[in-house]
Amino acid sequence: MLSLKLPQLLRVHQVPRVFWEDGIMSGYRRPTSSALDCVLSSFQMTNETVNIWTHFLPTWYFLWRLLALAGGPGFRAEPYHWPLLVFLLPACLYPFASCCAHTFSSMSPRARHICYFLDYGALSLYSLGCAFPYAAYSMPASWLHGPLHQFFVPSAALNSFLCTGLSCYSRFLELESPGLSKVLRTAAFTYPFLFDNLPLFYRAQPPAQLCPPALHPHQTPTHTHISAPEPSPPALLFLCQLGLCWGRGHSCGQEALSTSHGYHLFCALLTGFLFASHLPERLAPGRFDYIGHSHQLFHICAVLGTHFQLEAVLADMGSRRAWLATQEATLGLAGTVATLVLVVAGNVLIIAAFTVTLLRAPSTCPLLQGGPLEGGTQAKQQ
């Protein structure tokens, strides 16, 4: 009978520096693992196991949602539903790409970087996918057919190129300038997120009379008129507006946001915080090697955010359909397909360029090395 032996696990000082993770001291897989070893390691408790499964299982969940919606009576035949389907395709792709990246990243230093190049490309396609339903269902009434609405999806397409290019380039700086690498990678994904959600931020503002009047930057509060409302700083005004227009309250009309929008943005905020902070493992190195470190929590928050985003899009589709039916779509089927093809091709070319650069780099390149001895010194100090 064929018997399979689970791969041996290593400590941080036993692997090259390129494989190190902040605050993770043990549970590393052999940095020259075979593809079979990588697959087997997903059934073994390593510091990547939970990362793999927290995106592998959601892949099937989003695929199920896609098939369930697409299989509905007349769903695919109705052009109104196409932006939702375009959103669900990269929503299925990005967790699967992440799962594969975490599974096969221990085959070699080059394989590790290439795996994450593909992971970043899938995330940038997801950022574009979000723009389609937002342009179709979530635009503020005053923006319809305006310049931003007309160029919203094309701008998101350009953002996806920027996202892929910056995030891939950031890997070349990981060892020599880790701080700059982190800033570039964080900015690469933060900017497309902020751009995609501009319609929601704008719709979160209810009629101005529902909140206290704003305080002018050069104006100081006065108490001479006791009956008049005291002006509020702009930040407090925005928070007031944001709170009042959430959950379809206070006669916000077509601009109202569902509670799912709020949950989505809250999960996105947590996702960004966990990605940038490396908490809690940074505070207690070695305590969260297998369960509970920031990347696992980051995966969970990202998936929950996508789930709530889908529910929010469905809410906008339903509540605004009668109103949107009177409006002309900005991007037809031909434009949607053309945009997707161009963006996929462009991102493939960007990833290919970085991959070729990586493959041509000499084996002595710091990006492919990193001394295990340095890791041992750091591990002893910690």
Side-chain angles (χ1 to χ4, degrees):
M1 179 181 292
L2 178 64
S3 61
L4 297 175
K5 185 178 180 181
L6 292 175
Q8 179 186 1
L9 300 183
L10 307 174
R11 292 190 60 81
V12 65
H13 65 278
Q14 297 175 299
V15 298
R17 189 179 173 190
V18 70
F19 290 90
W20 294 359
E21 299 288 349
D22 286 351
I24 306 299
M25 309 305 298
S26 63
Y28 289 90
R29 297 170 295 175
R30 189 162 49 89
T32 55
S33 301
S34 65
L36 178 60
D37 286 341
C38 291
V39 172
L40 289 177
S41 71
S42 64
F43 299 97
Q44 176 187 17
M45 186 51 74
T46 73
N47 56 30
E48 290 281 22
T49 303
V50 178
N51 288 335
I52 294 169
W53 288 96
T54 49
H55 267 177
F56 179 74
L57 295 178
T59 299
W60 295 100
Y61 167 72
F62 291 122
L63 183 60
W64 168 70
R65 294 297 301 268
L66 169 62
L67 296 176
L69 289 168
F75 195 92
R76 285 174 292 178
E78 175 57 61
Y80 182 74
H81 298 142
W82 293 343
L84 174 65
L85 298 181
V86 173
F87 163 71
L88 280 169
L89 288 172
C92 296
L93 175 64
Y94 91 80
F96 181 72
S98 172
C99 167
C100 292
H102 285 285
T103 300
F104 298 105
S105 61
S106 63
M107 295 182 67
S108 71
R110 283 190 172 90
R112 179 179 179 84
H113 293 300
I114 294 170
C115 281
Y116 286 112
F117 290 165
L118 295 172
D119 184 21
Y120 302 152
L123 282 171
S124 71
L125 290 178
Y126 172 68
S127 74
L128 172 65
C130 297
F132 284 97
Y134 281 2
Y137 315 124
S138 302
M139 278 288 154
S142 60
W143 289 11
L144 286 181
H145 307 302
L148 182 58
H149 190 199
Q150 295 287 345
F151 293 101
F152 190 73
V153 171
S155 298
L158 294 177
N159 291 342
S160 76
F161 297 145
L162 177 66
C163 174
T164 303
L166 268 184
S167 54
C168 289
Y169 174 69
S170 70
R171 297 202 67 84
F172 287 80
L173 306 175
E174 269 193 340
L175 298 184
E176 296 179 342
S177 303
L180 179 58
S181 172
K182 195 69 175 182
V183 167
L184 289 179
R185 198 172 307 163
T186 303
F189 296 110
T190 301
Y191 169 69
F193 166 80
L194 293 176
F195 178 85
D196 287 346
N197 286 276
L198 282 177
L200 303 187
F201 299 146
Y202 185 87
R203 282 172 54 195
Q205 302 179 64
Q209 64 269 23
L210 295 178
C211 288
L215 179 67
H216 190 274
H218 302 294
Q219 177 184 351
T220 57
T222 177
H223 299 280
T224 55
H225 302 288
I226 299 176
S227 59
E230 183 176 322
S232 302
L236 290 181
L237 176 66
F238 175 75
L239 290 176
C240 170
Q241 293 173 332
L242 191 66
L244 284 176
C245 215
W246 224 276
R248 305 187 178 281
H250 295 80
S251 303
C252 291
Q254 296 294 348
E255 306 299 85
L257 297 173
S258 73
T259 53
S260 293
H261 282 300
Y263 295 143
H264 160 237
L265 294 176
F266 177 69
C267 288
L269 180 64
L270 282 179
T271 300
F273 170 78
L274 291 167
F275 178 79
S277 66
H278 288 283
L279 295 176
E281 67 272 12
R282 176 172 286 181
L283 299 178
R287 294 289 183 89
F288 301 95
D289 290 354
Y290 298 95
I291 297 178
H293 62 74
S294 63
H295 206 87
Q296 297 168 359
L297 302 176
F298 159 80
H299 276 198
I300 294 169
C301 288
V303 167
L304 287 175
T306 302
H307 163 75
F308 287 122
Q309 187 177 28
L310 172 59
E311 296 302 321
V313 167
L314 290 172
D316 277 350
M317 281 181 63
S319 65
R320 307 178 102 208
R321 178 162 189 164
W323 171 63
L324 289 171
T326 64
Q327 310 296 326
E328 183 181 352
T330 58
L331 200 64
L333 178 61
T336 298
V337 172
T339 301
L340 285 174
V341 170
L342 287 174
V343 170
V344 169
N347 277 282
V348 168
L349 288 175
I350 292 172
I351 292 171
F354 281 104
T355 299
V356 169
T357 302
L358 184 69
L359 294 177
R360 289 180 175 177
S363 57
T364 55
C365 174
L367 186 66
L368 305 176
Q369 293 295 310
L373 182 59
E374 296 177 87
T377 304
Q378 178 177 339
K380 290 177 182 178
Q381 291 175 349
Q382 293 177 336

